[in-house]
Short mmCIF file of all heavy atoms in Angstrom, two decimals:
data_model
loop_
_atom_site.label_atom_id
_atom_site.label_comp_id
_atom_site.label_asym_id
_atom_site.label_seq_id
_atom_site.Cartn_x
_atom_site.Cartn_y
_atom_site.Cartn_z
N VAL A 120 -1.29 18.26 -68.73
CA VAL A 120 -1.62 16.85 -68.92
C VAL A 120 -0.40 16.15 -69.49
O VAL A 120 0.20 16.63 -70.45
CB VAL A 120 -2.82 16.67 -69.89
CG1 VAL A 120 -3.11 15.20 -70.11
CG2 VAL A 120 -4.05 17.39 -69.36
N LYS A 121 -0.04 15.00 -68.89
CA LYS A 121 1.06 14.20 -69.41
C LYS A 121 0.56 12.78 -69.57
O LYS A 121 0.13 12.15 -68.61
CB LYS A 121 2.27 14.23 -68.48
CG LYS A 121 3.43 13.44 -69.06
CD LYS A 121 4.74 13.80 -68.44
CE LYS A 121 5.85 13.07 -69.20
NZ LYS A 121 7.16 13.41 -68.71
N LEU A 122 0.61 12.28 -70.82
CA LEU A 122 0.22 10.92 -71.12
C LEU A 122 1.50 10.11 -71.30
O LEU A 122 2.27 10.37 -72.22
CB LEU A 122 -0.63 10.85 -72.39
CG LEU A 122 -1.90 11.72 -72.41
CD1 LEU A 122 -2.63 11.54 -73.73
CD2 LEU A 122 -2.80 11.41 -71.23
N PHE A 123 1.72 9.16 -70.42
CA PHE A 123 2.91 8.32 -70.48
C PHE A 123 2.70 7.21 -71.49
O PHE A 123 1.60 6.96 -71.97
CB PHE A 123 3.24 7.76 -69.09
CG PHE A 123 3.76 8.80 -68.15
CD1 PHE A 123 2.90 9.59 -67.41
CD2 PHE A 123 5.13 8.99 -68.01
CE1 PHE A 123 3.39 10.56 -66.55
CE2 PHE A 123 5.62 9.95 -67.14
CZ PHE A 123 4.75 10.75 -66.42
N ALA A 124 3.77 6.49 -71.82
CA ALA A 124 3.73 5.46 -72.86
C ALA A 124 2.72 4.36 -72.55
O ALA A 124 2.17 3.75 -73.46
CB ALA A 124 5.12 4.86 -73.05
N THR A 125 2.44 4.10 -71.29
CA THR A 125 1.52 3.03 -70.90
C THR A 125 0.07 3.50 -70.82
O THR A 125 -0.81 2.71 -70.51
CB THR A 125 1.93 2.44 -69.55
OG1 THR A 125 1.94 3.50 -68.57
CG2 THR A 125 3.30 1.79 -69.62
N SER A 126 -0.19 4.78 -71.12
CA SER A 126 -1.54 5.32 -70.94
C SER A 126 -2.46 4.96 -72.10
O SER A 126 -2.02 4.72 -73.23
CB SER A 126 -1.48 6.83 -70.77
OG SER A 126 -1.05 7.44 -71.96
N ARG A 127 -3.76 4.95 -71.78
CA ARG A 127 -4.80 4.71 -72.77
C ARG A 127 -5.95 5.65 -72.42
O ARG A 127 -6.62 5.46 -71.40
CB ARG A 127 -5.24 3.26 -72.74
CG ARG A 127 -6.30 2.93 -73.77
CD ARG A 127 -6.59 1.43 -73.78
NE ARG A 127 -7.68 1.13 -74.67
CZ ARG A 127 -7.54 0.88 -75.97
NH1 ARG A 127 -6.34 0.89 -76.51
NH2 ARG A 127 -8.58 0.60 -76.71
N VAL A 128 -6.16 6.67 -73.26
CA VAL A 128 -7.16 7.70 -72.99
C VAL A 128 -8.18 7.71 -74.11
O VAL A 128 -7.84 7.81 -75.28
CB VAL A 128 -6.51 9.10 -72.84
CG1 VAL A 128 -7.56 10.16 -72.66
CG2 VAL A 128 -5.53 9.11 -71.69
N GLU A 129 -9.45 7.62 -73.71
CA GLU A 129 -10.55 7.69 -74.65
C GLU A 129 -11.48 8.81 -74.18
O GLU A 129 -12.25 8.64 -73.24
CB GLU A 129 -11.30 6.36 -74.71
CG GLU A 129 -12.34 6.31 -75.78
CD GLU A 129 -12.94 4.91 -75.91
OE1 GLU A 129 -12.43 3.97 -75.30
OE2 GLU A 129 -13.92 4.80 -76.64
N GLY A 130 -11.36 9.97 -74.82
CA GLY A 130 -12.17 11.12 -74.44
C GLY A 130 -11.48 12.40 -74.86
O GLY A 130 -10.32 12.40 -75.26
N ASP A 131 -12.19 13.49 -74.75
CA ASP A 131 -11.66 14.79 -75.14
C ASP A 131 -10.80 15.37 -74.03
O ASP A 131 -11.09 15.19 -72.85
CB ASP A 131 -12.79 15.76 -75.47
CG ASP A 131 -13.60 15.30 -76.69
OD1 ASP A 131 -13.09 14.47 -77.46
OD2 ASP A 131 -14.73 15.78 -76.85
N ILE A 132 -9.75 16.11 -74.44
CA ILE A 132 -8.85 16.74 -73.49
C ILE A 132 -8.86 18.24 -73.72
O ILE A 132 -8.64 18.69 -74.85
CB ILE A 132 -7.40 16.21 -73.64
CG1 ILE A 132 -7.34 14.71 -73.37
CG2 ILE A 132 -6.46 16.95 -72.69
CD1 ILE A 132 -5.97 14.10 -73.61
N THR A 133 -9.11 19.02 -72.68
CA THR A 133 -8.99 20.47 -72.72
C THR A 133 -7.87 20.82 -71.75
O THR A 133 -7.94 20.48 -70.57
CB THR A 133 -10.30 21.16 -72.29
OG1 THR A 133 -11.34 20.70 -73.14
CG2 THR A 133 -10.18 22.67 -72.39
N GLN A 134 -6.82 21.49 -72.24
CA GLN A 134 -5.63 21.71 -71.44
C GLN A 134 -4.90 22.96 -71.89
O GLN A 134 -5.16 23.48 -72.95
CB GLN A 134 -4.71 20.50 -71.53
CG GLN A 134 -3.74 20.50 -72.70
CD GLN A 134 -4.37 20.42 -74.08
OE1 GLN A 134 -5.44 19.86 -74.21
NE2 GLN A 134 -3.73 20.99 -75.07
N GLU A 135 -3.97 23.42 -71.04
CA GLU A 135 -3.04 24.47 -71.42
C GLU A 135 -1.77 23.86 -71.99
O GLU A 135 -1.23 24.34 -72.96
CB GLU A 135 -2.68 25.35 -70.21
CG GLU A 135 -3.76 26.33 -69.84
CD GLU A 135 -3.33 27.25 -68.72
OE1 GLU A 135 -2.12 27.40 -68.46
OE2 GLU A 135 -4.22 27.83 -68.07
N GLN A 136 -1.28 22.79 -71.34
CA GLN A 136 -0.06 22.10 -71.79
C GLN A 136 -0.36 20.61 -71.90
O GLN A 136 -0.96 20.03 -71.00
CB GLN A 136 1.07 22.31 -70.78
CG GLN A 136 1.49 23.73 -70.61
CD GLN A 136 2.53 23.87 -69.51
OE1 GLN A 136 2.86 22.92 -68.83
NE2 GLN A 136 3.04 25.08 -69.34
N LEU A 137 0.09 20.01 -73.01
CA LEU A 137 -0.13 18.59 -73.23
C LEU A 137 1.17 17.93 -73.65
O LEU A 137 1.87 18.43 -74.53
CB LEU A 137 -1.19 18.37 -74.32
CG LEU A 137 -1.47 16.92 -74.74
CD1 LEU A 137 -2.01 16.11 -73.58
CD2 LEU A 137 -2.45 16.90 -75.90
N SER A 138 1.49 16.82 -73.01
CA SER A 138 2.69 16.06 -73.34
C SER A 138 2.26 14.61 -73.55
O SER A 138 1.61 14.03 -72.69
CB SER A 138 3.70 16.15 -72.19
OG SER A 138 4.76 15.27 -72.41
N ILE A 139 2.63 14.04 -74.71
CA ILE A 139 2.27 12.67 -75.02
C ILE A 139 3.53 11.90 -75.37
O ILE A 139 4.22 12.24 -76.33
CB ILE A 139 1.27 12.59 -76.19
CG1 ILE A 139 0.01 13.41 -75.88
CG2 ILE A 139 0.92 11.14 -76.49
CD1 ILE A 139 -0.97 13.48 -77.03
N GLU A 140 3.85 10.88 -74.58
CA GLU A 140 5.02 10.06 -74.85
C GLU A 140 4.72 9.09 -75.98
O GLU A 140 3.57 8.70 -76.20
CB GLU A 140 5.42 9.25 -73.61
CG GLU A 140 6.12 10.05 -72.56
CD GLU A 140 6.65 9.17 -71.42
OE1 GLU A 140 6.39 7.94 -71.42
OE2 GLU A 140 7.31 9.72 -70.54
N GLN A 141 5.77 8.67 -76.66
CA GLN A 141 5.63 7.69 -77.71
C GLN A 141 5.11 6.39 -77.11
O GLN A 141 5.60 5.93 -76.08
CB GLN A 141 6.98 7.45 -78.39
CG GLN A 141 6.90 6.51 -79.55
CD GLN A 141 8.24 6.37 -80.26
OE1 GLN A 141 9.19 7.07 -79.94
NE2 GLN A 141 8.31 5.48 -81.21
N GLY A 142 4.10 5.82 -77.73
CA GLY A 142 3.49 4.59 -77.23
C GLY A 142 2.17 4.83 -76.52
O GLY A 142 1.41 3.90 -76.30
N ALA A 143 1.87 6.06 -76.15
CA ALA A 143 0.60 6.38 -75.50
C ALA A 143 -0.53 6.24 -76.52
O ALA A 143 -0.34 6.50 -77.71
CB ALA A 143 0.63 7.78 -74.92
N TRP A 144 -1.73 5.85 -76.05
CA TRP A 144 -2.88 5.70 -76.93
C TRP A 144 -3.90 6.76 -76.53
O TRP A 144 -4.29 6.84 -75.37
CB TRP A 144 -3.46 4.30 -76.79
CG TRP A 144 -4.53 3.98 -77.78
CD1 TRP A 144 -4.35 3.47 -79.02
CD2 TRP A 144 -5.93 4.16 -77.60
NE1 TRP A 144 -5.57 3.32 -79.63
CE2 TRP A 144 -6.56 3.74 -78.78
CE3 TRP A 144 -6.72 4.64 -76.57
CZ2 TRP A 144 -7.93 3.77 -78.96
CZ3 TRP A 144 -8.09 4.70 -76.73
CH2 TRP A 144 -8.68 4.25 -77.92
N PHE A 145 -4.35 7.55 -77.49
CA PHE A 145 -5.29 8.63 -77.23
C PHE A 145 -6.31 8.67 -78.35
O PHE A 145 -5.95 8.78 -79.52
CB PHE A 145 -4.54 9.96 -77.12
CG PHE A 145 -5.43 11.18 -77.13
CD1 PHE A 145 -6.43 11.33 -76.19
CD2 PHE A 145 -5.25 12.17 -78.07
CE1 PHE A 145 -7.24 12.44 -76.20
CE2 PHE A 145 -6.06 13.29 -78.09
CZ PHE A 145 -7.06 13.43 -77.16
N GLN A 146 -7.59 8.58 -78.00
CA GLN A 146 -8.67 8.67 -78.97
C GLN A 146 -9.61 9.77 -78.49
O GLN A 146 -10.23 9.65 -77.45
CB GLN A 146 -9.43 7.33 -79.05
CG GLN A 146 -10.61 7.34 -79.98
CD GLN A 146 -10.19 7.43 -81.44
OE1 GLN A 146 -9.26 6.76 -81.85
NE2 GLN A 146 -10.86 8.26 -82.19
N GLY A 147 -9.68 10.85 -79.25
CA GLY A 147 -10.54 11.96 -78.89
C GLY A 147 -10.00 13.24 -79.48
O GLY A 147 -9.13 13.24 -80.35
N ARG A 148 -10.53 14.34 -79.00
CA ARG A 148 -10.08 15.66 -79.46
C ARG A 148 -9.33 16.32 -78.32
O ARG A 148 -9.66 16.15 -77.15
CB ARG A 148 -11.27 16.53 -79.84
CG ARG A 148 -12.07 16.00 -81.01
CD ARG A 148 -13.24 16.89 -81.29
NE ARG A 148 -14.08 16.97 -80.10
CZ ARG A 148 -15.16 17.72 -79.99
NH1 ARG A 148 -15.53 18.49 -81.00
NH2 ARG A 148 -15.88 17.75 -78.90
N CYS A 149 -8.33 17.11 -78.70
CA CYS A 149 -7.66 17.90 -77.67
C CYS A 149 -7.78 19.37 -78.06
O CYS A 149 -7.64 19.72 -79.23
CB CYS A 149 -6.22 17.47 -77.46
SG CYS A 149 -5.13 17.77 -78.83
N THR A 150 -8.06 20.18 -77.08
CA THR A 150 -8.23 21.61 -77.28
C THR A 150 -7.31 22.33 -76.31
O THR A 150 -7.37 22.10 -75.10
CB THR A 150 -9.69 22.03 -77.00
OG1 THR A 150 -10.55 21.25 -77.80
CG2 THR A 150 -9.89 23.50 -77.28
N GLN A 151 -6.47 23.20 -76.87
CA GLN A 151 -5.60 23.98 -76.01
C GLN A 151 -6.35 25.22 -75.58
O GLN A 151 -6.82 25.99 -76.40
CB GLN A 151 -4.32 24.36 -76.73
CG GLN A 151 -3.34 25.06 -75.82
CD GLN A 151 -2.01 25.33 -76.50
OE1 GLN A 151 -1.89 25.27 -77.71
NE2 GLN A 151 -1.01 25.62 -75.70
N ALA A 152 -6.48 25.41 -74.30
CA ALA A 152 -7.19 26.56 -73.74
C ALA A 152 -6.22 27.41 -72.96
O ALA A 152 -5.71 26.99 -71.93
CB ALA A 152 -8.34 26.09 -72.85
N LYS A 153 -5.92 28.57 -73.47
CA LYS A 153 -5.08 29.52 -72.74
C LYS A 153 -5.98 30.32 -71.80
O LYS A 153 -7.19 30.33 -71.94
CB LYS A 153 -4.39 30.46 -73.73
CG LYS A 153 -3.49 29.74 -74.69
CD LYS A 153 -2.08 29.95 -74.31
CE LYS A 153 -1.21 29.24 -75.34
NZ LYS A 153 0.14 29.21 -74.99
N ARG A 154 -5.38 31.03 -70.89
CA ARG A 154 -6.17 31.78 -69.92
C ARG A 154 -7.01 32.88 -70.56
O ARG A 154 -8.03 33.27 -70.03
CB ARG A 154 -5.25 32.39 -68.87
CG ARG A 154 -4.59 31.35 -68.01
CD ARG A 154 -3.89 32.00 -66.84
NE ARG A 154 -3.13 31.03 -66.10
CZ ARG A 154 -3.63 30.27 -65.14
NH1 ARG A 154 -4.88 30.36 -64.82
NH2 ARG A 154 -2.87 29.40 -64.51
N ASP A 155 -6.59 33.39 -71.70
CA ASP A 155 -7.33 34.50 -72.31
C ASP A 155 -8.32 34.03 -73.38
O ASP A 155 -8.92 34.84 -74.05
CB ASP A 155 -6.35 35.51 -72.92
CG ASP A 155 -5.40 34.87 -73.92
OD1 ASP A 155 -5.38 33.63 -74.01
OD2 ASP A 155 -4.69 35.62 -74.61
N THR A 156 -8.53 32.72 -73.52
CA THR A 156 -9.48 32.22 -74.50
C THR A 156 -10.79 31.85 -73.83
O THR A 156 -10.85 31.64 -72.62
CB THR A 156 -8.91 30.98 -75.23
OG1 THR A 156 -8.70 29.96 -74.28
CG2 THR A 156 -7.63 31.30 -75.97
N PRO A 157 -11.88 31.75 -74.61
CA PRO A 157 -13.18 31.42 -74.01
C PRO A 157 -13.20 30.07 -73.30
O PRO A 157 -13.90 29.91 -72.32
CB PRO A 157 -14.12 31.40 -75.21
CG PRO A 157 -13.46 32.23 -76.25
CD PRO A 157 -11.99 32.09 -76.01
N GLY A 158 -12.43 29.09 -73.74
CA GLY A 158 -12.43 27.78 -73.09
C GLY A 158 -11.66 27.75 -71.79
O GLY A 158 -11.72 26.79 -71.04
N ALA A 159 -10.94 28.81 -71.48
CA ALA A 159 -10.10 28.83 -70.27
C ALA A 159 -10.93 28.82 -69.00
O ALA A 159 -10.46 28.39 -67.96
CB ALA A 159 -9.20 30.06 -70.28
N ASN A 160 -12.18 29.29 -69.06
CA ASN A 160 -13.00 29.28 -67.85
C ASN A 160 -13.23 27.85 -67.36
O ASN A 160 -13.47 27.62 -66.19
CB ASN A 160 -14.32 30.00 -68.07
CG ASN A 160 -15.17 29.33 -69.13
OD1 ASN A 160 -14.72 28.41 -69.81
ND2 ASN A 160 -16.39 29.81 -69.29
N MET A 161 -13.12 26.87 -68.23
CA MET A 161 -13.25 25.48 -67.81
C MET A 161 -12.09 25.08 -66.91
O MET A 161 -12.24 24.27 -66.01
CB MET A 161 -13.29 24.55 -69.03
CG MET A 161 -14.55 24.68 -69.85
SD MET A 161 -14.50 23.65 -71.32
CE MET A 161 -14.38 22.03 -70.60
N LEU A 162 -10.92 25.66 -67.16
CA LEU A 162 -9.73 25.32 -66.39
C LEU A 162 -9.76 25.93 -65.00
O LEU A 162 -9.17 25.41 -64.07
CB LEU A 162 -8.46 25.77 -67.11
CG LEU A 162 -8.19 25.10 -68.45
CD1 LEU A 162 -7.01 25.77 -69.12
CD2 LEU A 162 -7.93 23.63 -68.27
N GLU A 163 -10.42 27.05 -64.84
CA GLU A 163 -10.36 27.78 -63.58
C GLU A 163 -11.55 27.54 -62.66
O GLU A 163 -11.49 27.82 -61.50
CB GLU A 163 -10.24 29.28 -63.88
CG GLU A 163 -9.10 29.56 -64.81
CD GLU A 163 -8.18 30.61 -64.27
OE1 GLU A 163 -8.51 31.22 -63.26
OE2 GLU A 163 -7.13 30.82 -64.89
N SER A 164 -12.67 27.07 -63.17
CA SER A 164 -13.86 26.96 -62.34
C SER A 164 -13.71 25.82 -61.33
O SER A 164 -13.36 24.71 -61.69
CB SER A 164 -15.10 26.72 -63.21
OG SER A 164 -14.98 25.49 -63.89
N PRO A 165 -13.97 26.09 -60.04
CA PRO A 165 -13.84 25.06 -59.02
C PRO A 165 -14.97 24.05 -59.06
O PRO A 165 -14.83 22.94 -58.61
CB PRO A 165 -13.84 25.83 -57.71
CG PRO A 165 -14.51 27.11 -58.02
CD PRO A 165 -14.26 27.39 -59.47
N ALA A 166 -16.14 24.43 -59.58
CA ALA A 166 -17.27 23.52 -59.64
C ALA A 166 -17.74 23.45 -61.09
O ALA A 166 -17.63 24.42 -61.82
CB ALA A 166 -18.40 24.02 -58.74
N PRO A 167 -18.28 22.32 -61.51
CA PRO A 167 -18.73 22.23 -62.89
C PRO A 167 -19.87 23.20 -63.15
O PRO A 167 -20.82 23.27 -62.39
CB PRO A 167 -19.17 20.78 -63.03
CG PRO A 167 -19.30 20.24 -61.66
CD PRO A 167 -18.49 21.11 -60.76
N ALA A 168 -19.73 23.95 -64.22
CA ALA A 168 -20.75 24.91 -64.58
C ALA A 168 -21.87 24.19 -65.30
O ALA A 168 -21.64 23.25 -66.06
CB ALA A 168 -20.16 25.99 -65.49
N PRO A 169 -23.13 24.61 -65.07
CA PRO A 169 -24.23 23.96 -65.77
C PRO A 169 -24.12 24.24 -67.26
O PRO A 169 -23.72 25.31 -67.68
CB PRO A 169 -25.48 24.60 -65.17
CG PRO A 169 -25.02 25.85 -64.52
CD PRO A 169 -23.57 25.65 -64.18
N ALA A 170 -24.47 23.24 -68.05
CA ALA A 170 -24.37 23.38 -69.50
C ALA A 170 -25.45 24.31 -70.00
O ALA A 170 -26.62 24.19 -69.64
CB ALA A 170 -24.50 22.01 -70.15
N GLU A 171 -25.05 25.26 -70.82
CA GLU A 171 -26.00 26.21 -71.39
C GLU A 171 -26.09 25.95 -72.88
O GLU A 171 -25.10 25.61 -73.52
CB GLU A 171 -25.52 27.65 -71.17
CG GLU A 171 -25.48 28.04 -69.71
CD GLU A 171 -25.00 29.48 -69.54
OE1 GLU A 171 -24.98 30.22 -70.54
OE2 GLU A 171 -24.66 29.84 -68.42
N LYS A 172 -27.29 26.13 -73.43
CA LYS A 172 -27.45 25.98 -74.86
C LYS A 172 -27.01 27.26 -75.53
O LYS A 172 -27.44 28.35 -75.13
CB LYS A 172 -28.91 25.69 -75.20
CG LYS A 172 -29.38 24.34 -74.69
CD LYS A 172 -30.79 24.07 -75.11
CE LYS A 172 -31.25 22.73 -74.58
NZ LYS A 172 -32.63 22.44 -74.94
N PRO A 173 -26.15 27.16 -76.54
CA PRO A 173 -25.70 28.38 -77.21
C PRO A 173 -26.85 29.00 -78.01
O PRO A 173 -27.70 28.31 -78.56
CB PRO A 173 -24.59 27.89 -78.14
CG PRO A 173 -24.82 26.43 -78.30
CD PRO A 173 -25.54 25.98 -77.06
N ALA A 174 -26.86 30.32 -78.01
CA ALA A 174 -27.88 31.04 -78.77
C ALA A 174 -27.61 30.85 -80.25
O ALA A 174 -26.45 30.81 -80.67
CB ALA A 174 -27.85 32.52 -78.40
N PRO A 175 -28.66 30.73 -81.07
CA PRO A 175 -28.42 30.57 -82.50
C PRO A 175 -27.73 31.80 -83.07
O PRO A 175 -28.07 32.93 -82.72
CB PRO A 175 -29.82 30.37 -83.09
CG PRO A 175 -30.79 30.76 -82.02
CD PRO A 175 -30.07 30.72 -80.72
N ALA A 176 -26.76 31.55 -83.92
CA ALA A 176 -26.00 32.64 -84.52
C ALA A 176 -26.83 33.29 -85.61
O ALA A 176 -27.51 32.63 -86.39
CB ALA A 176 -24.69 32.11 -85.08
N LYS A 177 -26.76 34.63 -85.66
CA LYS A 177 -27.47 35.38 -86.70
C LYS A 177 -26.50 35.61 -87.84
O LYS A 177 -25.45 36.17 -87.65
CB LYS A 177 -27.95 36.72 -86.15
CG LYS A 177 -28.99 36.57 -85.06
CD LYS A 177 -29.43 37.92 -84.57
CE LYS A 177 -30.41 37.78 -83.42
NZ LYS A 177 -30.85 39.06 -82.92
N THR A 178 -26.90 35.15 -89.00
CA THR A 178 -26.06 35.37 -90.17
C THR A 178 -26.89 35.94 -91.28
O THR A 178 -27.97 35.42 -91.61
CB THR A 178 -25.41 34.05 -90.64
OG1 THR A 178 -26.46 33.12 -90.91
CG2 THR A 178 -24.47 33.48 -89.60
#
Side-chain angles (χ1 to χ4, degrees):
V120 178
K121 183 161 186 177
L122 304 180
F123 288 85
T125 58
S126 67
R127 182 174 175 89
V128 176
E129 187 173 351
D131 296 342
I132 299 175
T133 303
Q134 86 295 331
E135 283 185 19
Q136 297 175 355
L137 176 62
S138 171
I139 303 175
E140 284 187 355
Q141 184 176 353
W144 188 88
F145 169 57
Q146 178 69 43
R148 296 178 301 177
C149 66
T150 305
Q151 185 175 16
K153 299 255 182 188
R154 293 190 187 275
D155 56 350
T156 62
N160 62 353
M161 291 177 62
L162 296 173
E163 306 233 352
S164 63
E171 295 180 15
K172 293 183 180 179
K177 295 181 183 180
T178 57

